[in-house]
């Protein structure tokens, strides 16, 4: 039997590539977070604060529409943005080859 050599991990062979890949992944992830936080701010700030007088001309369930946008609307948008983030980051994980193992082995 010949001796089998164990292959070195890619991070040992190409340390700069691994580091730059991590930095690019994190930069893309932070960009996604900032975009989604910006959307949340715009949706929570403008309808609930700046356009409240125009929205209050309409009523939903006996309450002014401005109330719904300021209170419940921002919470619904937050939950929707969490779902968007999950989907977006899953695509990012696949693009950078850092997806989680779905087999459930713990590693």
């Amino acid at each position: 039997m010949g001796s089998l050599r164990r292959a070195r991990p890619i991070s040992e062979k190409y340390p700069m590539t691994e580091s730059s890949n991590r930095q690019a992944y994190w930069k893309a992830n932070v960009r996604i977070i900032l975009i989604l936080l910006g959307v949340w701010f715009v949706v929570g700030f403008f309808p609930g604060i700046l356009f409240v007088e125009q929205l209050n001309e309409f009523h939903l369930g006996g309450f002014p529409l401005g109330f719904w946008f300021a209170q419940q609307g921002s919470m619904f948008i937050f939950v929707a943005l969490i779902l968007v983030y999950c989907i977006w980051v899953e695509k990012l994980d696949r693009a950078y080859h850092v997806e989680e193992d779905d087999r459930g082995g713990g590693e």
Side-chain angles (χ1 to χ4, degrees):
M1 288 183 152
S3 65
L4 296 175
R5 288 187 359 191
R6 187 173 172 185
R8 290 185 297 169
I10 292 176
S11 60
E12 290 179 17
K13 291 181 183 178
Y14 309 104
M16 293 304 290
T17 304
E18 181 72 21
S19 176
S20 63
N21 190 39
R22 287 180 184 174
Q23 288 176 349
Y25 173 79
W26 184 244
K27 185 177 179 179
N29 195 358
V30 169
R31 186 176 141 263
I32 291 170
I33 292 170
L34 291 176
I35 289 170
L36 295 177
L37 282 174
V39 169
W40 191 31
F41 171 77
V42 168
V43 170
F45 183 75
F46 288 104
I49 297 173
L50 295 180
F51 303 132
V52 71
E53 297 298 324
Q54 294 85 356
L55 291 172
N56 282 342
E57 294 177 11
F58 305 98
H59 286 76
L60 180 65
F63 294 97
L65 192 59
F67 167 79
W68 287 103
F69 271 91
Q71 302 302 315
Q72 284 76 13
S74 63
M75 289 186 290
F76 290 137
I77 294 299
F78 181 69
V79 171
L81 289 177
I82 290 173
L83 295 173
V84 169
Y85 176 76
C86 290
I87 292 167
W88 203 346
V89 168
E90 188 174 320
K91 291 179 184 178
L92 183 70
D93 288 351
R94 277 187 257 130
Y96 284 91
H97 306 290
V98 292
E99 54 275 275
E100 294 182 15
D101 188 6
D102 290 336
R103 290 180 280 160
E107 291 184 21

